[in-house]
Amino acid sequence: MPERKRRSEYMKMLKAYPEPLCIEQLCEILGGISTKTGYKLLKEEKISSLKVGREYRVTKVDLVNCNFENKLIFLTKHHTVDIILLSMDGV
């Protein structure tokens, strides 16, 4: 499947979520990973984010872009796609 079409499919999968995503929503989208792992992804800049006050926010576009750069695969409660491939040390 061409990358442009895959990006479109991922954006459709994320349609049920608000913009921007909070850490809990991010973790749910990534297959129910722990918030600790979610924060680690953000702090290591594997996923681009904005810090608003004390909270991180992730745009859907940044999450989709990150998916193609870091091979993160979405596993939402609405759709299941492949498996999660996280390239992180110790996780």
Side-chain angles (χ1 to χ4, degrees), residues 14 17 20-35 37-42 47-49 56-60 62-64 66 72-76 84:
L14 297 174
Y17 293 93
L21 302 166
C22 68
I23 188 72
E24 291 82 9
Q25 293 159 335
L26 172 69
C27 292
E28 180 182 314
I29 291 166
L30 294 177
I33 63 173
S34 70
T35 54
T37 302
Y39 282 119
K40 186 174 182 177
L41 287 169
L42 297 179
I47 301 174
S48 298
S49 64
Y56 287 93
R57 299 287 184 206
V58 178
T59 65
K60 294 176 188 178
D62 284 340
L63 184 57
V64 169
C66 166
L72 296 174
I73 305 299
F74 303 149
L75 296 171
T76 70
I84 295 179

Side-chain angles (χ1 to χ4, degrees), residues 6 10 13 72-75 79-85:
R6 286 193 345 217
Y10 285 131
M13 287 173 52
L72 296 174
I73 305 299
F74 303 149
L75 296 171
H79 298 83
T80 302
V81 181
D82 296 331
I83 58 171
I84 295 179
L85 301 172

